[in-house]
Amino acid sequence: MLNAVDKGLLETVADLYKIPSGAFSLRKNGSGLFINSSENVTVKAKEGQPGIDVIVKPGTKNESIHIPVIISQSGIKDMVYNTIEIGEGADVVLVAGCGIHNSGSEASQHDGVHNIIIKKGARLRYIEKHYGEGNGSGGKILNPQTVVEIHEGGIGEFEMVQIGGVDSTHRVTEAKLGKRAKLVIKERLMTHGEQEAFSDIKIELNGEEALADVISRSVAKHTSSQVFRAQVIARSAGRGHVECDSIIMDSAKISSIPEIRAEHPEAELTHEAAIGKISGEQIIKLMSLGLSEEEAVKVVIEGFLR
Amino acid sequence: MLELNNISIDLNVQNGNGKTRILNNLSFKFEQGKFYCITGPNGGGKTSIAKVIMGIYKPTEGRIFFENEDITEKNITERARLGICYAFQIPPRFKGLRVKDLLKISAAKENMGLRNSLKSVGLCPEEYMDREVDESFSGGEMKRIEIATMLLRNPKVIIYDEPEAGVDLWSFHKLVNVIKQKHEREKAATIVITHQERILALADEIILVSEGQIKQAGTPEAILPGIKKDIECELSGICGGDDYAECCR
Ligand SMILES: Nc1ncnc2c1ncn2[C@@H]1O[C@H](COP(=O)(O)OP(=O)(O)OP(=O)(O)O)[C@@H](O)[C@H]1O
Ligand SMILES: [Mg+2]
């Protein structure tokens, strides 16, 4: 069942200290380990394909659903297809996360396609944490693809965090927003060593008064590299804002490519992008409060990525 | 207890002919339990004195002694841990760092009154604790948070760099009282860099700094009349323009 490594991963990616009582699915080393539905949320294995279906009944409120994936065996290559449907007027939190512990020499990889549908007037807070650990030479690879559809008046709040230890990631997020739908994406990314991260976000504002806000903050250390591309396309009188803010350290490389495209005369789109080193003043201030230089750098980065 | 011994600082400047001297052969002895004010014209070198004490600037020449130990080579962290504190003239802003995080870092001991430190500077903890110390704060709020962090330190030497700057009248008097109370309670060497007469009047000793040097030092009774005379001269319109230096010195 769950050993200490598994428990550590679960804690890190899903803030879980034990198996929760509500709607839940745990996938370990490429196969489903636990699955549980609640009265209003059905979680079941997908037919014909690896993965799960999560169906939230219309009007469901105050429920959290956990669907973590952990890989603790070296050399696993896992691929899943998940469908998540939030019924009309529901308001729920979904915690998806993936943790890889690789102490072997073969690459461990988890690729996931999440299809998320937020129905009319529903709200979903989606939290996804990615994390890699283990000192084997095998790579830790995560390639999530998230396709989101938000219907009239629906709200999606997405927090996507890659905390560290993932050697290679190619993240694709696509969203289509209907009338008065709202999507906020908060992305936090940290790369170190020789890691590579690629994030590609594409949001289409199709309905009147749709609103999208993308806030990405990242830190690249050592010789790691990051490419961040965020595209917001307004096909209606929607509003969108893209903000990418990065701290660069050592010999890292960062490309930040925000793109806004308007195809409607009343669209309002803005973007901001900044890449810079840690401010010397901040480090000096923290050192003058008694922190060492290393501690000061850590505080600045942790705050920035919080 | 804190001695600046023939301190000079030359900074490399990008334009011009290479070097500029911002402190020039400056010496002074600060004593424990005394309240000092440093005042003087803009660009005179007040902040530079604070930075050289904190270890932010390294002197080109001269030595610094603290409790009879030569600390010239010690870095900022080491000096902070010895009990040297500095409230910045312009405190930096941090994205993501909350007021409570900054206060926790500042607290010399655990469980010190983080909330009380905010209350002392007139900021409501409920409203401020969870806010980020970022661009969203006004200048005066930043200054007051900076003073709040100082209240949590356990200093032997504490320097406040223009605590009044940008602070409203009501809060100004509050801050002055808080600084005074901390001084009376802890008996550190308190050094306030200021342009405010109300603070200058509290000093055991006022140090007048200009052109990178100490021009005068003495009690408020000895120093303030001269400064007042300069101001009257300025207001009377006798001096001004090119005659300023001639007329007022
Ligand atoms: N890092 C620096 N680079 C270049 N010049 C500097 C630097 N730091 C200080 N100076 C110069 O040294 C002089 C003294 O500066 P300092 O900040 O100590 O003045 P101050 O007395 O604190 O002035 P104010 O009342 O305006 O705060 C000024 O002419 C300033 O321009
Ligand atoms: Mg100054």
Side-chain angles (χ1 to χ4, degrees), chain A residues 217 243 245 279 281-293 295 299-300 303-306, chain B residues 54 56 76-77 80-81 84 86 88 90 92-98 102 105-106 132 146 150 153:
Chain A
R217 283 194 188 166
E243 191 179 310
D245 204 343
S279 120
E281 279 286 292
Q282 293 175 345
I283 300 302
I284 288 171
K285 177 75 245 178
L286 294 174
M287 287 174 75
S288 77
L289 294 171
L291 300 192
S292 68
E293 189 173 346
E295 287 165 340
V299 165
V300 171
F304 184 71
L305 293 178
R306 196 176 56 83
Chain B
M54 191 70 243
I56 300 170
I76 305 170
T77 309
R81 290 178 185 172
I84 298 176
Y86 174 42
F88 283 30
I90 304 172
R93 294 164 191 267
F94 295 83
K95 273 185 192 163
L97 199 71
R98 290 161 299 189
L102 192 62
I105 291 166
S106 309
E132 294 180 8
E146 180 78 353
M150 291 297 117
R153 306 294 296 159

Side-chain angles (χ1 to χ4, degrees), chain B residues 185-204:
Chain B
R185 203 170 48 238
E186 294 173 7
K187 298 275 176 253
T190 298
I191 305 169
V192 186
I193 299 173
T194 183
H195 302 293
Q196 286 296 321
E197 225 181 302
R198 156 109 206 266
I199 306 182
L200 291 172
L202 297 175
D204 294 312

Side-chain angles (χ1 to χ4, degrees), chain B residues 112-123 125 129 148 151-152:
Chain B
M112 280 179 82
L114 303 190
R115 294 167 53 82
N116 278 339
S117 72
L118 278 185
K119 283 190 198 158
S120 302
V121 298
L123 298 176
M129 276 296 187
L151 299 179
L152 296 164

Side-chain angles (χ1 to χ4, degrees), chain A residues 2-75:
Chain A
L2 294 182
N3 57 34
V5 168
D6 298 340
K7 286 182 180 156
L9 289 174
L10 268 183
E11 244 182 77
T12 310
V13 301
D15 294 318
L16 285 179
Y17 301 91
K18 57 177 182 9
I19 302 299
S21 54
F24 179 71
S25 147
L26 172 62
R27 188 176 177 86
K28 181 182 164 185
N29 294 331
S31 55
L33 192 60
F34 283 106
I35 198 153
N36 192 40
S37 298
S38 70
E39 200 185 319
N40 297 317
V41 182
T42 308
V43 185
K44 60 172 197 273
K46 199 178 249 323
E47 280 173 33
Q49 270 180 327
I52 52 171
D53 289 330
V54 176
I55 298 163
V56 177
K57 269 196 200 156
T60 304
K61 303 266 184 212
N62 300 326
E63 264 205 57
S64 34
I65 304 142
H66 289 83
I67 56 164
V69 170
I70 55 179
I71 295 179
S72 51
Q73 192 182 326
S74 189

Side-chain angles (χ1 to χ4, degrees), chain A residues 4-291:
Chain A
V5 168
D6 298 340
K7 286 182 180 156
L9 289 174
L10 268 183
E11 244 182 77
T12 310
V13 301
D15 294 318
L16 285 179
Y17 301 91
K18 57 177 182 9
I19 302 299
S21 54
F24 179 71
S25 147
L26 172 62
R27 188 176 177 86
K28 181 182 164 185
N29 294 331
S31 55
L33 192 60
F34 283 106
I35 198 153
N36 192 40
S37 298
S38 70
E39 200 185 319
N40 297 317
V41 182
T42 308
V43 185
K44 60 172 197 273
K46 199 178 249 323
E47 280 173 33
Q49 270 180 327
I52 52 171
D53 289 330
V54 176
I55 298 163
V56 177
K57 269 196 200 156
T60 304
K61 303 266 184 212
N62 300 326
E63 264 205 57
S64 34
I65 304 142
H66 289 83
I67 56 164
V69 170
I70 55 179
I71 295 179
S72 51
Q73 192 182 326
S74 189
I76 293 272
K77 190 167 188 295
D78 191 20
M79 171 86 207
V80 298
Y81 301 87
N82 295 337
T83 301
I84 296 153
E85 200 182 291
I86 314 297
E88 279 189 20
D91 185 348
V92 295
V93 177
L94 192 133
V95 184
C98 182
I100 299 181
H101 178 99
N102 192 350
S103 47
S105 57
E106 288 172 75
S108 295
Q109 177 168 352
H110 176 75
D111 295 350
V113 178
H114 299 279
N115 268 303
I116 302 178
I117 303 154
I118 303 174
K119 296 260 175 93
K120 192 171 167 183
R123 175 163 173 254
L124 169 68
R125 190 163 159 234
Y126 179 83
I127 301 163
E128 184 189 85
K129 283 191 196 172
H130 285 167
Y131 171 68
E133 62 173 28
N135 44 19
S137 58
K140 294 168 280 277
I141 305 166
L142 284 168
N143 296 320
Q145 188 181 341
T146 310
V147 179
V148 191
E149 209 179 286
I150 309 181
H151 297 179
E152 184 175 340
I155 299 174
E157 291 166 357
F158 285 53
E159 278 169 48
M160 298 156 133
V161 182
Q162 186 173 304
I163 323 160
V166 177
D167 296 307
S168 165
T169 188
H170 189 149
R171 171 198 295 280
V172 177
T173 309
E174 281 173 23
K176 288 188 168 70
L177 275 61
K179 201 170 157 184
R180 286 198 301 280
K182 180 177 165 188
L183 175 63
V184 179
I185 297 181
K186 254 173 86 171
E187 193 182 44
R188 298 288 182 261
L189 181 64
M190 156 104 108
T191 55
H192 48 93
E194 296 171 7
Q195 295 168 357
E196 287 178 1
F198 193 99
S199 174
D200 210 340
I201 297 177
K202 182 176 171 187
I203 302 174
E204 294 174 43
L205 306 175
N206 294 331
E208 290 292 297
E209 292 177 57
L211 193 139
D213 199 357
V214 180
I215 308 149
S216 164
R217 283 194 188 166
S218 74
V219 175
K221 291 185 183 175
H222 309 134
T223 56
S224 66
S225 67
Q226 300 179 357
V227 178
F228 177 81
R229 190 192 300 268
Q231 195 183 25
V232 178
I233 304 166
R235 302 224 157 84
S236 69
R239 284 186 293 144
H241 179 66
V242 182
E243 191 179 310
C244 335
D245 204 343
S246 303
I247 292 180
I248 186 160
M249 299 169 74
D250 313 313
S251 312
K253 292 192 179 72
I254 301 177
S255 319
S256 193
I257 314 155
E259 182 188 339
I260 48 183
R261 197 159 91 209
E263 298 178 1
H264 189 283
E266 279 172 72
E268 275 179 50
L269 302 172
T270 49
H271 71 69
E272 277 173 60
I275 301 173
K277 63 176 189 310
I278 290 187
S279 120
E281 279 286 292
Q282 293 175 345
I283 300 302
I284 288 171
K285 177 75 245 178
L286 294 174
M287 287 174 75
S288 77
L289 294 171
L291 300 192

Side-chain angles (χ1 to χ4, degrees), chain B residues 116-175:
Chain B
N116 278 339
S117 72
L118 278 185
K119 283 190 198 158
S120 302
V121 298
L123 298 176
C124 168
E126 280 71 28
E127 204 179 311
Y128 283 88
M129 276 296 187
D130 290 322
R131 276 185 64 183
E132 294 180 8
V133 193
D134 61 13
E135 301 300 329
S136 68
F137 278 130
S138 76
E141 287 172 326
M142 285 300 295
K143 289 295 279 192
R144 285 155 70 183
I145 292 165
E146 180 78 353
I147 305 290
T149 65
M150 291 297 117
L151 299 179
L152 296 164
R153 306 294 296 159
N154 208 347
K156 288 187 178 155
V157 174
I158 184 158
I159 311 170
Y160 302 90
D161 200 341
E162 297 193 24
E164 72 269 19
V167 170
D168 65 68
L169 271 177
W170 296 267
S171 307
F172 167 69
H173 293 285
K174 204 177 194 92
L175 292 191

Side-chain angles (χ1 to χ4, degrees), chain B residues 11-20:
Chain B
L11 285 183
N12 292 317
V13 281
Q14 276 157 355
N15 45 6
N17 50 2
K19 285 204 156 70
T20 136

